[in-house]
Amino acid sequence: MAEKKKILIIDDDEDFGKAVSMMLEHQGFTVEQALNAKDGKSCIDSRRPDLIILDVMMEHMTDGFDLCFALKRDEDLSRIPILMVTAITEKTGIPYSLEADEEYLKAEDYVQKPISASDLVTRVNKLLNRLAGKQRNKPSSTSPSSL
């Protein structure tokens, strides 16, 4: 039996995190929630999730951006896909898009809150499948091409 994929939700909205956790657990994932960037980073370091769902605005307006930036600069953690979820445009009026801001923000996907359950599950599966494809295509140390 395949090991359950681990998803970490980092969001200061505890109700949002609980709702997403229940939905993803129903889909067969193992889910953990952190309510701020500091606790989220501790969970990442100790448990190495397969995917991170990360809010942009938590205690500080840029907590999610800052954590994403740090993770993508870390060689050991940069391969963990990040799905950014936020209501930043709605709350601040500041327009944001993954394409326009990709120089600073290297998240694999981005979605505005609120998000439908089906869209969230689709995006999570897409990111995990993309990760699995990269791992399958990565040459192993015993393959003839690496000799």
Side-chain angles (χ1 to χ4, degrees):
M1 187 167 132
E3 185 176 325
K4 288 184 175 185
K5 294 291 183 185
K6 297 178 286 191
I7 299 174
L8 174 61
I9 301 166
I10 306 173
D11 194 314
D12 62 341
D13 182 343
E14 193 169 1
D15 292 335
F16 174 81
K18 284 180 181 178
V20 171
S21 291
M22 287 178 11
M23 178 187 46
L24 292 173
E25 287 167 350
H26 181 73
Q27 296 293 320
F29 298 105
T30 299
V31 183
E32 187 166 353
Q33 182 179 6
L35 297 175
N36 59 58
K38 181 181 176 188
D39 291 347
K41 180 65 167 77
S42 293
C43 289
I44 293 164
D45 290 339
S46 63
R47 295 177 187 85
R48 295 294 169 119
D50 298 298
L51 177 91
I52 299 166
I53 297 175
L54 178 60
D55 187 20
V56 171
M57 296 186 309
M58 289 178 272
E59 184 178 349
H60 300 101
M61 189 175 283
T62 62
D63 281 350
F65 287 130
D66 296 341
L67 180 57
C68 181
F69 186 77
L71 293 172
K72 293 305 179 182
R73 292 182 58 123
D74 184 308
E75 190 174 321
D76 292 333
L77 303 174
S78 64
R79 290 180 181 85
I80 301 172
I82 297 174
L83 170 59
M84 299 291 293
V85 293
T86 191
I88 191 169
T89 302
E90 178 183 305
K91 289 183 178 182
T92 67
I94 299 169
Y96 174 79
S97 76
L98 195 56
E99 294 78 24
D101 297 304
E102 70 181 334
E103 182 68 28
Y104 175 74
L105 188 65
K106 303 288 186 186
E108 283 72 18
D109 200 0
Y110 166 84
V111 66
Q112 285 281 337
K113 288 180 183 177
I115 180 171
S116 72
S118 62
D119 189 25
L120 183 67
V121 170
T122 298
R123 288 171 185 264
V124 164
N125 283 320
K126 181 179 170 186
L127 290 172
L128 290 171
N129 288 337
R130 188 182 314 160
L131 176 66
K134 284 182 182 178
Q135 288 175 343
R136 272 196 307 272
N137 295 330
K138 189 168 94 174
S140 71
S141 60
T142 59
S143 70
S145 61
S146 62
L147 295 177

